[in-house]
Amino acid sequence: QVQLVESGGGLVQPGGSLKLSCAASGSIFKLYAMGWYRQAPGNQRELVARITTGGSTNYADSVKGRFTISRDNAKNTVYLQMNSLKFEDTAVYYCNTIPPLNPYWGQGTQVTVAS
């Protein structure tokens, strides 16, 4: 059974940085493009960054130039480096495959940007 476990969230001031990690168990990690998604209160879940198995990346316009997604296939881990954080980045952040597979949604990690 595959599990995706997100970590690294927290409370940060505007302009600050956080690095999220997503550890995957099971054998799916190397087979899929992976993405970081987020869901703010009252909003739908949205994809903010994606990375292919070969390392190509894409970003939502709202985070382009501030967030960097990366993956370590040897460690079955995908990362999201978040810089220059804004109030509107506050959300629960999740990782999942591209496209997302329902059984793989984890608990997510809360990111709160507040002064």
Side-chain angles (χ1 to χ4, degrees):
Q1 185 172 352
V2 174
Q3 279 190 313
L4 298 172
V5 180
E6 302 93 347
S7 62
L11 174 64
V12 63
Q13 293 185 339
S17 298
L18 283 173
K19 186 173 184 177
L20 308 183
S21 299
C22 170
S25 64
S27 59
I28 62 128
F29 184 80
K30 298 177 181 64
L31 303 178
Y32 285 91
M34 297 294 295
W36 280 98
Y37 303 77
R38 70 184 180 187
Q39 187 168 20
N43 291 356
Q44 290 189 336
R45 194 171 294 174
E46 62 172 342
L47 175 66
V48 297
R50 58 180 288 170
I51 185 166
T52 67
T53 54
S56 297
T57 58
N58 291 98
Y59 300 91
D61 287 344
S62 58
V63 307
K64 200 171 294 183
R66 301 187 297 119
F67 289 12
T68 303
I69 188 171
S70 60
R71 66 190 296 163
D72 186 335
N73 288 337
K75 295 182 178 180
N76 284 359
T77 302
V78 62
Y79 304 97
L80 186 68
Q81 176 67 48
M82 306 186 296
N83 298 328
S84 302
L85 282 161
K86 303 177 180 181
F87 293 120
E88 53 264 41
D89 295 318
T90 295
V92 179
Y93 285 71
Y94 304 86
C95 67
N96 205 322
T97 54
I98 300 291
L101 298 174
N102 281 335
Y104 298 163
W105 290 116
Q107 295 299 309
T109 186
Q110 175 71 48
V111 172
T112 302
V113 184
S115 55

